[in-house]
Amino acid sequence: MKDEMSSEQTTEPTPRRRSPFTAICAIDYTVIFVRDMAAMRRFYEDVLAFPLLRELSPNWIEYGIGCNTLALARPSRTAADAPTPTGSASLQLAFKVSATEVDACADELVRQGVALLSPPTNQAFGHRTLFFRDPDGNLLEVYAEI
């Protein structure tokens, strides 16, 4: 009987250790590694009109977006990664606005000569979305909850 019990015993799950990363409460800043700094800077400052927060060097530029920072950087600034190949997006950024502002943003992008990948569209999952690309090919979205 004793042998039968030992083969049927279940092991207790090991307690999950508390990770120090649970202390993270927000994304503080996002860095876009750029191929063409001049074109990207013109796009984010002139087309999207993001306010320049600070320029630490010609290779690192920061914009204030709400309580977050969006930085443009050459990869060698922090890492020796090769630039993303032309024709592939490195990331997608989604910028939240009100529902009426999605259409106003689309109008401004067209006025500035930016091609829309998708015009303002009401999605079944409750967002009104607009998609376009920055000069380096990254996918950008302006959306609102509807």
Side-chain angles (χ1 to χ4, degrees):
M1 189 82 161
K2 196 173 208 178
D3 289 335
E4 287 177 22
M5 288 184 78
S6 62
S7 65
E8 292 177 12
Q9 288 178 348
T10 59
T11 59
E12 292 291 320
T14 57
R16 192 174 183 120
R17 71 175 181 87
R18 186 179 183 309
S19 169
F21 294 104
T22 60
I24 295 172
C25 59
I27 295 175
D28 186 60
Y29 65 94
T30 300
V31 179
I32 300 174
F33 290 131
V34 302
R35 288 186 288 269
D36 184 339
M37 181 63 86
M40 291 287 279
R41 185 168 186 171
R42 277 190 308 275
F43 182 80
Y44 283 91
E45 288 179 27
D46 299 341
V47 175
L48 299 186
F50 286 174
L52 182 66
L53 189 59
R54 61 186 177 164
E55 182 175 347
L56 298 179
S57 77
N59 297 321
W60 186 279
I61 299 166
E62 296 179 355
Y63 301 96
I65 303 171
C67 60
N68 294 296
T69 300
L70 177 65
L72 303 179
R74 295 197 191 278
S76 62
R77 170 82 170 111
T78 56
D81 295 358
T84 303
T86 302
S88 28
S90 297
L91 57 90
Q92 175 179 337
L93 295 175
F95 303 105
K96 187 176 183 182
V97 297
S98 72
T100 58
E101 291 168 323
V102 173
D103 294 88
C105 289
D107 292 344
E108 179 62 14
L109 289 168
V110 169
R111 190 182 76 70
Q112 293 272 357
V114 176
L116 304 182
L117 296 175
S118 170
T121 305
N122 290 340
Q123 305 292 345
F125 50 85
H127 285 179
R128 182 161 181 77
T129 60
L130 157 67
F131 290 94
F132 56 101
R133 292 192 186 276
D134 70 15
D136 269 3
N138 296 303
L139 184 60
L140 304 181
E141 174 186 4
V142 172
Y143 83 96
E145 293 179 359
I146 53 173

